[in-house]
């Protein structure tokens, strides 16, 4: 085998919670972008970024939807930052049974940030006019031994386990109909 | 499918405790758009002119704007309409924040409250689930405090809460409805909410709001965001800082308060302090604000950050925006530290930040001048600041003299008598106005003050510069990219407008020009109030991102209603006329349309009559300010003329009856 190095693009969004003003424009555009057809509806509950916003305690935390988890954590910690107390869940990206965050409101199917596939720049970043969200791309080397996991497949399997094959098939049918 | 709107109103009869979801008629949306427009139609249809503000028959309508809940930046207004206890006319105060979009996402365009609950309750609207719940434990709690308690009680930090404080519960005539960083303050709508026995309305929604033409709509939203950016990098030169940019006046950001403190009046709108501002004060006030201000905050889907979280040492945190920063400070001849402290209490109590400080200053003037006596103020502290805190407490509890003062300067003066009326000197239509006293009559402002039915100049003015530019070059530069004008003629008016000489106030802009300018400004505000758009990105500032040329496109692509400039202007005129019709039925006439006698030193009675005559004519109203049969017919409001004829307000085929008498009375 060759010793050529492979790289992959790491996309990251930097979140500066000091700059966040709680406007939820990021939620608005994310949910509109992911509507089917695109931009046909708006509903922050479907957004893949949600802002925990408690103005009186000055808590503003935009969080991106990450992976679906089957069970909630057993113990939960608290963070104290600058004298403000945050629940661990506040920073957590999981679509988790403990909360209704990052789940489709009707079906309960998990939502996950896809970095706005197909767009030049994540739209939440574009719509955050105060630069609380900024976007960065960097190339990172990956080792030979890195195993490629078929993420889509394991993801689907988890969904089928949780929601049953019919419901998942139904959603896929809806998606492909909308994409045609 | 309904676009932009949900097509469902929530009807809650508090007497019976019934909750109904009622589908609305899409034809009403075409004619009256939404928000204020459809609110007014409901008020006209269902609240007869004899209805007292505190009658169970009065309605309290929380209407979302037509485009709220879509991605249109800054479109987040709730328009609250009812019969005001203060003016006895229709009040329609607006609040920004997060409540209106949340209600849309819950699946409703409006919440319409009727009747009265025997016990204090709150409403919990969570998508399809709507409940009337006991609020006994919230009695006497502050508005901000109530919101926090309800979030805990419902175990949900994402709910949006509109609540009243003690002032609303005590039916103070200038009680507000508070909602996070925003409030609907004018006209005492909080008192009506209190009278209905509703402490708060809590909303959480997780449904879709649809738009008719997704690609077009998102394109329009993108253009607005780009234009906001353009305006941020290109502030308007030659005007004072708060007029140069967009948004509500950026009072939470600026430290230089020379303009407000030296041009606005202190006390009971009495004293101008021309040389007030200096380095020492600037330093002190800057420190006060910077120490208190934790963060600048925006309303839903808006980058402008017009509000701030304020934490004064030793006091609970609250949020503030705009001119309340200075109204208490100046009303009490005090400093910013005092202003921010008392505003914390006032926000919890839920009172209008324009009226309340003036009422308190008025009470102390009456005391100084012997019209009220020391006995009227038992236990009042000696120090000035202490007195204001004392008065505020008395007012919101309606205790002792507070019971009178809670009705505002107009009604209090009437009841106190003994010459007190002369001290209620800053009212239009029984409502305390911005504390401004100026020299030369300004014809445009004269018309706005006189004929406005929103009782607040900031809700009528905007778009057209407040003063001429000094040089020809400045004027030319200003008009060169003035895309917002509905007609090119406005550019010429501005180009020819001078500080002195023939082309200056009060005779220039001419009567005709003044009418056109006011009509444009008012129309834009009325459009905002139907669409739910914040005036701070539209009708209020110079060169805003929303205007008469892109609004029709927003409505077509958003709500799926075919729209153009003419049709939109006509729709705005329709519900604007309907607002007037409601008020005319309740007895409002030309005699009520006057700015305070001392607003300008130099007055021109003949010119003022001429201005009113011409403006009424342009609006399609007769000489007494009553919409004519003919103009009502043109607007498809025949049902209004029928009612007017039936009630003897208009006579069949004769629009100008009885006007001579009134007109002469005015001269
Ligand atoms: S758009 Fe930016 S400022 Fe607004 S809530 Fe999202 S992260 Fe915060
Ligand atoms: S949200 Fe995250 S932190 Fe909280 S229980 Fe679920 S997985 Fe654990
Ligand atoms: S990057 Fe795109 S998908 Fe991810 S949260 Fe932002 S808008 Fe949504
Ligand atoms: S401009 Fe200011 S007041 Fe208006 S919606 Fe935006 S943040 Fe709110």
């Amino acid at each position: 085998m060759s010793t050529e190095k492979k790289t992959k693009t790491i996309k990251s969004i930097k979140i500066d919670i000091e700059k966040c003003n709680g406007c939820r424009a990021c939620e608005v555009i994310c949910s509109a972008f992911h509507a089917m057809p695109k931009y046909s509806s708006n509903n922050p509950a479907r957004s893949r970024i949600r802002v925990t916003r408690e103005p009186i305690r000055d808590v503003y935390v935009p969080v991106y939807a990450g992976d679906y988890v089957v069970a909630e954590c057993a113990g939960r910690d608290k963070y104290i930052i600058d004298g403000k107390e945050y629940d661990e869940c506040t920073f957590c990206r999981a679509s988790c049974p403990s909360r209704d965050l990052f789940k489709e409101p009707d079906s309960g199917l998990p939502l996950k940030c896809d970095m706005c596939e197909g767009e030049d720049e994540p739209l939440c970043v574009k719509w955050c006019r105060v630069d609380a969200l900024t976007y960065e791309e960097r190339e990172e080397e990956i080792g030979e031994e890195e195993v490629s996991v078929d993420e889509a497949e394991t993801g689907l399997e988890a969904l089928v386990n949780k929601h049953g094959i019919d419901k998942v098939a139904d959603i896929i049918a809806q998606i492909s109909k909308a994409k045609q | 499918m309904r676009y932009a709107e949900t097509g469902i109103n929530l009807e809650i009869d508090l007497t019976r405790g019934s909750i109904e979801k009622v589908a609305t008629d899409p034809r009403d949306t075409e004619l009256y758009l939404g928000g204020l427009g459809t609110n007014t139609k409901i008020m006209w249809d269902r609240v007869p002119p004899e209805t007292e503000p505190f009658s169970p028959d009065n309605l309290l309508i929380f209407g979302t704007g037509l485009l709220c809940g879509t991605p249109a930046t800054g479109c987040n207004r709730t328009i609250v309409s009812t019969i005001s206890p203060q003016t006895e006319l229709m009040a329609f105060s607006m609040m920004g924040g997060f409540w209106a979009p949340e209600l849309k996402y819950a699946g409703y365009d409006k919440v319409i409250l009727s009747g009265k609950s025997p016990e204090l309750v709150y409403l919990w609207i969570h998508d399809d689930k709507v409940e009337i719940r006991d609020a006994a434990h919230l009695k006497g709690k502050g508005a901000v405090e109530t919101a926090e308690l309800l979030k805990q009680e419902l175990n949900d930090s994402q709910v949006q809460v509109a609540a009243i404080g003690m002032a609303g519960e005590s039916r103070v005539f200038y009680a507000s409805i508070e909602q996070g960083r925003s409030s609907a303050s004018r006209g005492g709508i909080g008192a009506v909410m209190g009278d209905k026995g509703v402490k708060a309305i809590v909303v959480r929604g997780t449904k879709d709001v649809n738009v008719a033409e997704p690609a077009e709509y998102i394109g329009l939203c993108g253009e607005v965001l780009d234009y906001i950016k353009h305006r941020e990098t290109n502030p308007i030169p030659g005007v004072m800082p708060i007029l140069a940019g967009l948004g509500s006046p950026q009072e939470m950001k600026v430290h230089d308060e020379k303009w407000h403190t030296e041009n606005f009046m202190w006390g009971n709108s009495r004293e101008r302090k021309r040389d007030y501002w200096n380095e020492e004060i600037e330093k002190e006030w800057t420190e006060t604000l910077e120490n208190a201000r934790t963060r600048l905050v925006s309303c839903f889907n808006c980058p402008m950050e017009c509000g701030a979280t304020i934490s004064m040492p030793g006091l609970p945190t609250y949020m503030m925006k705009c001119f309340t920063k200075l109204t208490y400070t100046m009303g009490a001849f005090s400093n910013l530290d005092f202003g921010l402290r008392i505003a914390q209490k006032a926000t919890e109590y839920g009172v209008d930040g324009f009226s309340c400080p003036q009422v308190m200053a008025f009470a102390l003037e009456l005391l100084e001048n012997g019209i009220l006596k020391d006995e009227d103020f038992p236990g009042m502290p000696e120090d000035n600041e202490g007195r204001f805190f004392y008065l505020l407490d008395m007012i919101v509890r309606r205790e002792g003299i507070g019971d009178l003062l809670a009705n505002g300067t107009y009604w209090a003066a009437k009841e106190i008598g003994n010459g007190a009326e002369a001290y209620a000197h800053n009212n239009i239509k029984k409502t305390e106005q911005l504390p401004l006293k100026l020299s030369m009559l300004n014809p445009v402002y004269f018309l706005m003050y006189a004929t406005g039915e929103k009782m607040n100049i900031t809700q009528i003015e905007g778009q057209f510069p407040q003063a001429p530019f000094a040089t020809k070059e400045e004027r030319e530069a200003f008009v060169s990219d003035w895309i917002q004008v509905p007609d090119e003629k406005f550019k010429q008016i501005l180009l020819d407008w001078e500080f002195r000489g023939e082309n200056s106030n009060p005779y220039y802009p001419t009567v005709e020009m003044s009418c056109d300018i006011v009509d444009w400004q008012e129309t834009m505000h009325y459009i905002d109030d139907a669409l739910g758009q914040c005036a701070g990105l539209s009708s209020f500032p110079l060169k805003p991102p929303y205007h008469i040329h892109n609004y029709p496109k927003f409505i077509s692509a958003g709500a799926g209603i075919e729209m153009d400039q003419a049709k939109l202007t006509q729709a705005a005129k329709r519900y604007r006329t309907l607002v007037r019709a409601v008020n005319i039925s309740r007895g409002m006439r030309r005699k009520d349309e006057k700015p305070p006698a001392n607003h300008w030193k130099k007055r021109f009675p003949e010119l003022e009559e001429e201005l009113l005559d011409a403006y009424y004519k342009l609006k399609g109203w007769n000489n007494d300010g009553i919409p004519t049969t003919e103009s009502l017919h043109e607007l498809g409001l025949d049902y209004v003329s029928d009612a007017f004829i039936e009630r003897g307000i208009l006579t069949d085929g004769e629009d100008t009856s009885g006007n001579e008498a009134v007109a002469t009375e005015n001269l």
Side-chain angles (χ1 to χ4, degrees), chain A residues 19-26 51 62 124 127-128 130 132-133:
Chain A
K19 285 188 180 153
C20 178
N21 63 36
C23 71
R24 300 170 64 192
C26 46
V51 184
C124 51
W127 275 54
C128 179
V130 296
L133 309 175

Side-chain angles (χ1 to χ4, degrees), chain A residues 39-40, chain B residues 3 211-219 553 555-561:
Chain A
Y39 302 118
S40 62
Chain B
Y3 295 106
V211 298
E213 297 164 46
E216 285 77 2
Y217 198 78
I218 206 74
K553 299 182 199 165
I555 298 169
S556 303
I561 299 170

